[in-house]
Amino acid sequence: MRFSRERSMSRRGFCLCCVGGAAYAGTGWLTPREAFAEARGLVSLFKDNAAVASVATHKLRNNISVLEGSGGNIAVLTGPDGKVLIDGGIGASRPQLTKALADLGADPISHLVNTHWHFDHTSGNEWLHAAGAKIIAQENTRKYLSEVQRVEDWDYNFLPLRPGGIPSEVFAAEHTLKLNGTTIRLKHYTPAHTDSDISVTFGEADVLHAGDTYWNGIYPFIDYSTGGSIDGMIAASDANLAVTTNKTIVIPGHGGPVSNKSELQEFRDMLVAVRENIAALKKKGKSRDEIMAAKPSAAFDSKWGSGPIDPGFFTRLVYEGV
Ligand SMILES: [Zn+2]
């Protein structure tokens, strides 16, 4: 099949968001039962992989770093108020994350912000809470982590986290933290990748963590089961561009962890172009299979299609929303 398990073992890009890709790769559409079996196998593989994958640290500026290799990219702010993490990665990477965090200094872990509810950003919540983190998120993230969550595109049910992993402080639209001399602004996007996504801005350092509204150099997953849509992804990209300058460091949820405004602009323009191609074909009355066969993302596939969401799966995700 096209989805390479070997590639999935690389440090970058292997995440729960990517599991669905396999279900649509290869010979065509799997039945829900086949997709379910496939996803189940891949979730196990994913956990096993996280247990052994290495975690790389990239120092950004001021006292902010990004950790790459445990699901979504994790930002860390250090200082006397304790370590503040943006996303908690995958629980199985605890040993590697513990070491990477210790290497950043002796401050205890004090806060964890979840950019959204997905497993590859929140399954570390339980151990990070046990290590001292107060968990903060948008209220929909708490809701989704508190109940069985069904993702239709994977035909898969995720169980709720144990109580310690559930965010204890939630907000609806905006929330500001002042920690380690840094103003951290949390802002709910209109529904984008899910309807629980938030942006996290480190004001003084001019760093934006865009969560999974931004995938750097690879096609994104869009979770329609919990409120995501292609138009929401485009709106979030516009919102991200509006708050960044050429000096801003942009951290994507997935893909190369240290990005910038011009790469973000390319991502937004790709989303718009593929959406327009697919919407035009759908308007002409083409079926999903005809649209798939027309390869409406072809002009972008060499740059964006080598990640875990392959061109066919991305086409299907866009098709679902236009
Ligand atoms: Zn996600």
Side-chain angles (χ1 to χ4, degrees):
M1 63 195 207
R2 196 176 180 286
F3 180 85
S4 156
R5 292 192 179 212
E6 216 149 283
R7 191 175 59 217
S8 75
M9 292 299 183
S10 73
R11 279 194 295 111
R12 186 178 293 176
F14 189 80
C15 61
L16 195 66
C17 293
C18 314
V19 165
Y24 302 95
T27 53
W29 308 102
L30 302 182
T31 66
R33 187 175 294 276
E34 287 166 335
F36 178 69
E38 189 73 34
R40 201 170 258 296
L42 281 166
V43 169
S44 303
L45 181 71
F46 170 61
K47 286 178 178 166
D48 292 347
N49 175 61
V52 296
S54 60
V55 168
T57 300
H58 307 263
K59 300 234 177 194
L60 302 183
R61 57 183 166 225
N62 298 10
N63 41 349
I64 300 168
S65 300
V66 59
L67 307 183
E68 178 191 18
S70 175
N73 293 318
I74 298 171
V76 186
L77 170 74
T78 59
D81 295 323
K83 292 193 179 95
V84 182
L85 274 67
I86 312 304
D87 280 342
I90 300 157
S93 328
R94 177 178 182 167
Q96 298 93 308
L97 284 177
T98 300
K99 181 179 185 312
L101 289 167
D103 288 347
L104 289 174
D107 315 314
I109 297 165
S110 62
H111 294 77
L112 166 62
V113 173
N114 290 143
T115 61
H116 63 296
W117 76 271
H118 281 156
F119 170 93
D120 50 319
H121 303 254
T122 58
S123 80
N125 280 18
E126 290 169 357
W127 80 264
L128 284 162
H129 172 74
K134 171 185 184 180
I135 306 176
I136 302 158
Q138 205 277 336
E139 60 193 14
N140 290 338
T141 293
R142 178 168 71 182
K143 178 173 146 242
Y144 294 139
L145 292 178
S146 304
E147 56 195 34
V148 175
Q149 212 44 247
R150 179 167 180 74
V151 174
E152 288 296 337
D153 277 311
W154 304 322
D155 193 20
Y156 198 91
N157 296 329
F158 295 96
L159 297 177
L161 291 185
R162 287 192 288 269
I166 306 290
S168 59
E169 187 173 323
V170 295
F171 61 93
E174 284 185 60
H175 187 61
T176 301
L177 302 166
K178 293 252 185 191
L179 295 164
N180 298 323
T182 302
T183 310
I184 307 165
R185 288 198 189 82
L186 315 181
K187 191 163 191 277
H188 190 209
Y189 292 98
T190 50
H193 167 75
T194 68
D195 62 10
S196 65
D197 306 305
I198 59 167
S199 61
V200 180
T201 309
F202 298 96
E204 294 79 0
D206 195 8
V207 173
L208 165 69
H209 193 318
D212 278 3
T213 69
Y214 176 34
W215 295 49
N216 184 15
I218 47 178
Y219 287 134
F221 180 66
I222 303 170
D223 183 358
Y224 287 84
S225 290
T226 51
S229 70
I230 178 61
D231 288 345
M233 287 291 282
I234 292 168
S237 298
D238 287 335
N240 288 333
L241 286 165
V243 298
T244 48
T245 70
N246 292 333
K247 292 181 182 148
T248 308
I249 294 176
V250 184
I251 304 172
H254 298 279
V258 188
S259 187
N260 56 46
K261 181 163 188 157
S262 69
E263 290 175 342
L264 182 61
Q265 180 77 51
E266 262 191 89
F267 175 73
R268 183 263 179 202
D269 292 346
M270 175 278 292
L271 293 180
V272 169
V274 175
R275 186 218 181 275
E276 290 315 308
N277 287 349
I278 292 172
L281 291 166
K282 203 168 178 180
K283 211 170 172 184
K284 282 186 197 161
K286 301 284 184 197
S287 69
R288 185 184 69 183
D289 288 348
E290 286 170 330
I291 291 173
M292 294 285 291
K295 301 193 184 311
S297 66
F300 298 91
D301 291 348
S302 62
K303 174 165 172 49
W304 301 90
S306 60
I309 305 297
D310 70 20
F313 189 41
F314 182 59
T315 297
R316 181 192 166 286
L317 289 171
V318 174
Y319 173 88
E320 199 168 335
V322 298

